[in-house]
Amino acid sequence: MTDVTNHSQKPTLQTGEAQMGDYFALMKPRVMQLVVFTGLVGLLVAPVGVNPFVGFVAILCIAVGAGASGALNMWWDADIDAVMKRTINRPIPSGAVQPGEALAIGATLSVFSVVLLFLATNALAAGLLAFTIFFYAVIYSMWLKRSTPQNIVIGGAAGAFPPMIGWAVATGGVSIESILMFALIFMWTPPHFWALALFVKSDYGDAGVPMLTETHGRKATRNHILAYCVPLVLVALGLGFTSIGGPIYLIVAVLLNVWFLKGCYDIWRRTDADSDADDHAVEKHTFKVSLYYLFGHFVALLVEALMRANGWAVL
Amino acid sequence: MALKVEHEIHQRRKGRNSGVGLLLVGMVGIVFGLTVVKVLGLTDVRQMERFDHVARPQLEPGALEAAEQRAADLAAQTEESN
């Protein structure tokens, strides 16, 4: 999960009391949007119906759990957030929220979301949510983020769990469909983030965070983008042949994958000189395509589910 | 001394307190709603009852079936005697 909110570069130190908005900002609302959307699709495309109120509570728990892990991440990363321009106005470095408050909110909401999801749905969904929070806050934030340039690959797994949790809420299990939805987001995250890293001037280096563009160079990053895009295409198309896929999904997936693969290939072909010459136009375009890519796949899955539910067969 | 002393901190924390109040009301609503959904979703009357420190023969396995059988036998006997 990556929050690419572009905060103002001038630090604004706040000295007053934290307001609800400051606490809400701790929960990384932009990341929560992706989590809620993919979790909801995972829930709705499952072959088992869920009571609408239970479904609402489940999605709320997934969102709160994601927000809790965001708060724990901000608590742990307060030192590097204070160094980087993009994050210097986050609630803790700006002084709006105390680190201890962020820890307390993150820990409390983690327990709350997992327990409520267990009571509302089932142990597997709650267990997956607990693992997601643990993975993002401990495995990614505390351990791997500062120790390996593959951090974004591993961190992407935390953002990939929500559709799997949504599926588990409905079915009580894990299946090839939910694993492929997980894999779709997991494989999409690295090329999406690295495309961004190629055109945004980052100060991760100043903060001591090893990003691929800085540890292995921009050429290696271009190679990695293409290397992750190829298996991503296979996963995306493979999903179309499961029970939640169908002709509409496959048509959308083929179009989006050709579009995104072409963008990744164009990035791979370029040199840094080409990129600087046109102000990273291809990288920016491919980053934008990556947003449509993920959204388009999940909307297509939703359309297929809607058609199945209403008995509308295309073929 | 007035019963309600307006302090500066009340004004300063008004937004936070209102937010916490709304969250608590929302929490009550969620727990109530879940309770209603879960209870209405029960299909077996025995799932609505649990041990509550008094003898509850109807909670014994097969008790309902036995009671229904006894009622049927009784109805049959009454019919025969008439």
Side-chain angles (χ1 to χ4, degrees):
Chain A
M1 286 186 280
T2 48
D3 179 13
V4 292
T5 312
N6 194 14
H7 296 285
S8 142
Q9 294 193 352
K10 194 179 283 183
T12 50
L13 194 65
Q14 297 179 23
T15 50
E17 295 242 358
Q19 296 300 313
M20 287 306 283
D22 296 316
Y23 294 123
F24 186 63
L26 268 184
M27 299 172 73
K28 299 194 174 180
R30 286 173 69 93
V31 173
M32 274 166 71
Q33 288 174 5
L34 172 72
V35 165
V36 166
F37 174 63
T38 56
L40 184 65
V41 173
L43 179 74
L44 294 177
V45 301
V48 185
V50 176
N51 178 287
F53 188 77
V54 173
F56 163 74
V57 173
I59 295 300
L60 183 72
C61 288
I62 295 172
V64 171
S69 59
L72 291 172
N73 169 272
M74 284 205 197
W75 161 71
W76 184 259
D77 280 347
D79 57 336
I80 57 174
D81 283 351
V83 175
M84 296 190 291
K85 285 173 186 157
R86 184 174 70 82
T87 54
I88 200 163
N89 279 328
R90 281 182 173 174
I92 297 176
S94 70
V97 174
Q98 295 303 308
E101 286 182 294
L103 173 62
I105 288 171
T108 307
L109 290 183
S110 297
V111 173
F112 167 83
S113 58
V114 170
V115 170
L116 188 60
L117 190 61
F118 171 64
L119 293 174
T121 63
N122 56 66
L124 178 70
L128 284 172
L129 181 63
F131 182 71
T132 305
I133 296 169
F134 170 78
F135 194 91
Y136 188 65
V138 178
I139 307 281
Y140 170 68
S141 302
M142 297 182 186
W143 181 23
L144 297 170
K145 183 175 179 179
R146 303 184 195 205
S147 60
T148 167
Q150 295 292 324
N151 45 21
I152 200 66
V153 179
I154 299 142
F161 274 111
M164 198 181 236
I165 301 172
W167 181 275
V169 163
T171 65
V174 173
S175 66
I176 186 68
E177 290 86 353
S178 67
I179 291 170
L180 285 176
M181 282 191 285
F182 168 90
L184 182 67
I185 304 177
F186 180 69
M187 299 305 297
W188 164 87
T189 306
H192 160 78
F193 186 82
W194 284 328
L196 175 78
L198 283 174
F199 67 84
V200 168
K201 186 167 165 45
S202 112
D203 41 12
Y204 277 112
D206 300 337
V209 178
M211 295 306 290
L212 193 66
T213 43
E214 294 175 18
T215 57
H216 289 69
R218 299 164 70 84
K219 181 61 195 163
T221 307
R222 292 175 195 280
N223 294 342
H224 274 74
I225 287 175
L226 188 63
Y228 274 90
C229 192
V230 173
L232 170 67
V233 171
L234 297 178
V235 168
L237 295 179
L239 196 51
F241 296 99
T242 65
S243 69
I244 59 173
I248 291 178
Y249 173 85
L250 275 173
I251 291 167
V252 172
V254 167
L255 292 174
L256 288 171
N257 279 282
V258 167
W259 198 19
F260 191 44
L261 189 60
K262 185 185 178 307
C264 292
Y265 176 72
D266 289 344
I267 287 179
W268 177 73
R269 272 179 36 195
R270 280 153 70 86
T271 63
D272 284 347
D274 298 335
S275 187
D276 290 336
D278 63 4
D279 192 25
H280 316 293
V282 172
E283 288 79 2
K284 285 177 183 173
H285 174 72
T286 307
F287 175 72
K288 203 183 283 181
V289 171
S290 76
L291 296 172
Y292 297 135
Y293 180 92
L294 195 70
F295 184 70
H297 277 91
F298 277 86
V299 167
L301 287 176
L302 210 50
V303 170
E304 288 284 359
L306 195 68
M307 293 187 64
R308 270 195 306 278
N310 290 288
W312 302 332
V314 173
L315 293 176
Chain B
M1 187 177 159
L3 279 176
K4 190 181 172 193
V5 181
E6 229 0 272
H7 192 274
E8 171 266 336
I9 201 169
H10 293 130
Q11 206 56 40
R12 189 152 39 96
R13 291 194 172 167
K14 196 174 179 183
R16 264 167 75 164
N17 291 339
S18 306
V20 171
L22 284 173
L23 287 176
L24 289 174
V25 169
M27 178 71 193
V28 170
I30 285 170
V31 172
F32 179 71
L34 275 179
T35 307
V36 170
V37 167
K38 293 277 177 185
V39 170
L40 291 180
L42 296 177
T43 49
D44 186 344
V45 69
R46 281 169 294 188
Q47 290 178 304
M48 295 190 193
E49 302 184 65
R50 286 290 183 267
F51 177 71
D52 64 356
H53 303 278
V54 291
R56 305 287 292 278
Q58 69 270 34
L59 294 183
E60 292 298 317
L64 270 186
E65 290 78 4
E68 282 166 2
Q69 186 60 48
R70 276 200 301 277
D73 293 345
L74 196 62
Q77 279 176 9
T78 312
E79 205 167 289
E80 275 176 21
S81 62
N82 288 337

